Amino acid sequence: MNHYSFVAMDCFDVTFLNDLEQRFEHQETVALNSFDELSKLLDFFSVSVSDEVMPRVDEVNCSWLLVGMPQPKDIADFDAFYEQWLAQTGRDNNMDEYGQLMCLNGLFEKFARSSIMVVLSEAI
């Protein structure tokens, strides 16, 4: 299982990314089986990761900038998105899965005006 943290920022700041306590309110973490699942998830939100090399972030295996800003799902469309997600990935339909995607969608809504979104592959 891989843990990917999505972090919203107004400007790129490695010091901010290296301070877990500081970035806590600006991030949401999801547990996925692979980078392929991460790519599928990003497709649902109309974004992808950049090939650009990122500066080293402490205790992180890899990091990427998102290309574009994620488009959060309307609450009325969330269940349809969730069903498509399960069908494409074969993941289990449970409250943990639903909850982590709902929280990620909430992060995208909360920080919709942020200029930068980073994905960190956590070294957990």
Side-chain angles (χ1 to χ4, degrees), residues 48-124:
S48 61
V49 293
S50 171
D51 291 335
E52 184 177 322
V53 176
M54 296 278 291
R56 177 80 178 115
V57 177
D58 295 343
E59 299 183 33
V60 168
N61 291 331
C62 199
S63 58
W64 305 272
L65 282 174
L66 286 188
V67 177
M69 286 308 289
Q71 302 302 309
K73 304 297 176 196
D74 291 331
I75 197 72
D77 299 329
F78 190 84
D79 286 344
F81 147 71
Y82 181 68
E83 291 301 322
Q84 290 176 334
W85 167 252
L86 295 176
Q88 282 193 16
T89 62
R91 291 180 60 89
D92 291 335
N93 180 9
N94 58 50
M95 288 307 293
D96 289 338
E97 185 72 10
Y98 189 87
Q100 76 172 356
L101 295 178
M102 182 65 84
C103 289
L104 180 62
N105 193 61
L107 177 86
F108 293 159
E109 288 175 338
K110 181 178 178 181
F111 292 103
R113 292 195 172 107
S114 295
S115 57
I116 296 173
M117 186 76 65
V118 176
V119 181
L120 306 173
S121 176
E122 300 281 2
I124 297 175

Side-chain angles (χ1 to χ4, degrees), residues 14-24 27 57-58:
V14 174
T15 304
F16 176 80
L17 292 173
N18 283 326
D19 187 341
L20 182 58
E21 286 183 38
Q22 186 178 6
R23 77 173 196 241
F24 181 75
Q27 83 173 28
V57 177
D58 295 343

Side-chain angles (χ1 to χ4, degrees), residues 40-48 67-73:
K40 288 177 183 178
L41 181 60
L42 294 175
D43 283 345
F44 276 108
F45 290 100
S46 303
V47 292
S48 61
V67 177
M69 286 308 289
Q71 302 302 309
K73 304 297 176 196

